[in-house]
Amino acid sequence: MDSTGTSFADDFDEFDHLLDDEDEATAAPSRTGRMPRVSGAKDNAPAAGARTKRRPSMKGRIRVTPDWNRIAAVLFVGVIALIVLWFVVTGIMHARRQGSYEDYYRSVREVATQSEAQGDELNSILTDPDAGDRSERIARVEDLATRAKKLAANAQDIEVPKQMQDASVWMQTSLDYRANGLDAVQRSLSASIDAKDADASVDAVSQALARFVASDVVWADSFAVDARSQLQADDVEGVTVPDSTFMEDLDLVSPKSVSSMLDRLAVATTATASGQAAAPKDGKIRGGQLEAGQVTVSPSGQTLVPGQLTEIKGGDDVTFEVPFTNQGEVQLTQVPVKITMRGSESDPVTLTGVIDVVDPGQTATAKVSLDEVPNFGEVLDTEILVGPIPGEKTADNNRAEYQLQFSL
């Protein structure tokens, strides 16, 4: 602040305004079209004491202020668009993965069903009394082995999703075990015809049959477990991994059972007029006994007593468990079981079951399910019959009678 009452800053501002006015006068052309001359200065020379660089004027300039609200709105819309795009792409990828899994497991299920049917067919070849002599059975096993190899080859052509390639190897391994096992069964059965070492024949057939057990383990513990884990990891719903069991009756694999089977198959069978196999004339005793006092009903666990009334509560999922002991000298297969219930107020009800295999001196149990419960409260005279066995001399112990009453 000087003695005149003005500050240095005020003087600087006033000087700055003067410079701005001079710039405007210098920049404006004269009416004659010439630039004005500065008094006392030569042409094209700056005036004495004038600054060559002047402070730029802020007059007439526009200061731009960013619209942060608009910028935020644009960014928000962009983020939402990216999220929507991500969900769309993810949904498309998930749908494609879901579709590929559905197609794959549809093909696997068809293979599993066919393979299980081949296992049932092998069981019938080996156990059905009416399946022919040993040579006929061996020929059927050979044909079955050819079809199993073809099924395994077809399975290799299934298009496998990338995520399932490791698990699919185990499925293929299981099918190969089954095809190779059928080959081994056919060869070992053929070799057993003229074999001098019976024990070696038994071991060969038993080891061949054991491959089917291995194939079931590989399918269940390696393929199915890995496949279900992958489906869970990929969050795939509505797709199930099929099971596949080739060897239902594990008793068939034991050397003792195989020995009895070879003895049974060694005897040629002939068909009767009814088409059933006649009892071979080998001098061996054939027959068995119904364990009448050991017949039980599940799920209640009640034991039926011959000649006495047994009240069975409920009627859902009722199953009769019928034990039968082979009292003969040869292996018995496909032993029929028949249960007949008669009441005075309802039509007779007949249930059937079968005992696949029972070795000499052993007891096997048939499970026979009741599909529809007769009238509640009605006393039913019930007969259980096992057999008869072709060539059996005494069949009285194959039959027993009971009285049953179903109640709510």
Side-chain angles (χ1 to χ4, degrees):
M1 180 77 68
D2 58 14
S3 58
T4 61
T6 61
S7 65
F8 177 78
D10 293 336
D11 293 340
F12 183 82
D13 289 339
E14 183 179 357
F15 180 72
D16 190 40
H17 287 304
L18 291 175
L19 291 178
D20 290 341
D21 293 340
E22 184 179 353
D23 288 341
E24 293 177 2
T26 305
S30 65
R31 294 181 179 179
T32 60
R34 296 181 180 178
M35 296 294 293
R37 294 172 59 92
V38 178
S39 176
K42 296 183 180 179
D43 293 339
N44 299 327
R51 295 185 303 174
T52 57
K53 292 184 181 180
R54 296 177 179 152
R55 185 169 178 263
S57 173
M58 298 300 295
K59 188 177 182 179
R61 294 192 179 187
I62 301 176
R63 177 176 294 176
V64 179
T65 301
D67 190 344
W68 294 111
N69 291 332
R70 180 174 296 179
I71 293 174
V74 172
L75 291 176
F76 177 77
V77 172
V79 170
I80 294 298
L82 289 176
I83 293 175
V84 172
L85 180 61
W86 180 84
F87 275 108
V88 170
V89 173
T90 302
I92 293 175
M93 294 178 62
H94 181 77
R96 289 181 177 178
R97 184 167 57 245
Q98 179 89 15
S100 65
Y101 278 148
E102 290 176 353
D103 293 341
Y104 171 70
Y105 284 108
R106 187 181 301 111
S107 299
V108 171
R109 185 168 289 102
E110 293 176 358
V111 170
T113 301
Q114 294 181 50
S115 186
E116 281 192 339
Q118 291 176 352
D120 294 339
E121 185 176 351
L122 174 65
N123 182 73
S124 178
I125 293 172
L126 298 179
T127 63
D128 188 353
D130 304 329
D133 60 22
R134 181 164 55 178
S135 298
E136 292 172 329
R137 296 172 194 258
I138 291 174
R140 291 179 59 186
V141 173
E142 184 177 10
D143 175 70
L144 185 58
T146 300
R147 287 184 278 128
K149 289 179 181 178
K150 184 177 180 180
L151 181 62
N154 292 340
Q156 292 181 339
D157 296 332
I158 297 176
E159 185 174 353
V160 183
K162 181 179 179 181
Q163 297 87 342
M164 286 303 307
Q165 289 180 353
D166 291 341
S168 185
V169 171
W170 293 115
M171 180 198 69
Q172 192 65 50
T173 301
S174 177
L175 295 175
D176 290 339
Y177 273 21
R178 295 171 181 181
N180 295 334
L182 287 168
D183 255 346
V185 170
Q186 184 271 327
R187 292 194 305 269
S188 59
L189 286 178
S190 298
S192 69
I193 296 178
D194 299 322
K196 296 181 180 180
D197 188 344
D199 292 338
S201 296
V202 169
D203 289 341
V205 176
S206 180
Q207 291 175 14
L209 293 174
R211 296 192 182 189
F212 304 133
V213 179
S215 76
D216 293 345
V217 173
V218 169
W219 187 289
D221 290 359
S222 296
F223 169 65
V225 170
D226 289 357
R228 293 187 181 104
S229 298
Q230 188 62 52
L231 287 176
Q232 185 176 6
D234 290 341
D235 195 24
V236 176
E237 298 179 353
V239 177
T240 57
V241 180
D243 296 321
S244 183
T245 303
F246 196 89
M247 178 63 68
E248 291 283 357
D249 190 353
L250 298 181
D251 290 337
L252 289 175
V253 181
S254 68
K256 182 178 180 179
S257 180
V258 170
S259 177
S260 298
M261 179 185 71
L262 292 180
D263 289 342
R264 172 172 53 83
L265 297 181
V267 181
T269 58
T270 57
T272 63
S274 63
Q276 295 180 342
K281 298 179 180 180
D282 55 0
K284 294 185 178 182
I285 299 174
R286 287 171 170 79
Q289 172 179 300
L290 165 64
E291 302 298 340
Q294 300 178 22
V295 177
T296 60
V297 179
S298 63
S300 66
Q302 294 170 281
T303 300
L304 304 185
V305 179
Q308 294 186 13
L309 177 64
T310 301
E311 182 180 351
I312 301 175
K313 294 184 178 181
D316 294 335
D317 301 325
V318 172
T319 300
F320 295 93
E321 298 184 4
V322 183
F324 177 77
T325 300
N326 184 350
Q327 296 177 322
E329 299 176 319
V330 297
Q331 185 184 67
L332 300 177
T333 61
Q334 301 296 310
V335 181
V337 177
K338 182 178 180 180
I339 302 176
T340 305
M341 293 181 288
R342 296 182 177 87
S344 59
E345 301 176 1
S346 59
D347 296 331
V349 175
T350 301
L351 310 174
T352 58
V354 66
I355 295 175
D356 288 332
V357 178
V358 54
D359 292 330
Q362 300 298 311
T363 299
T365 301
K367 294 184 178 181
V368 184
S369 299
L370 177 62
D371 297 330
E372 184 177 355
V373 177
N375 293 338
F376 286 103
E378 183 179 9
V379 176
L380 303 172
D381 294 326
T382 303
E383 178 187 77
I384 298 180
L385 173 64
V386 181
I389 308 301
E392 188 173 16
K393 295 181 179 181
T394 302
D396 294 341
N397 56 357
N398 293 34
R399 184 191 311 267
E401 294 182 353
Y402 310 86
Q403 286 187 324
L404 304 180
Q405 186 180 45
F406 291 92
S407 62
L408 294 174

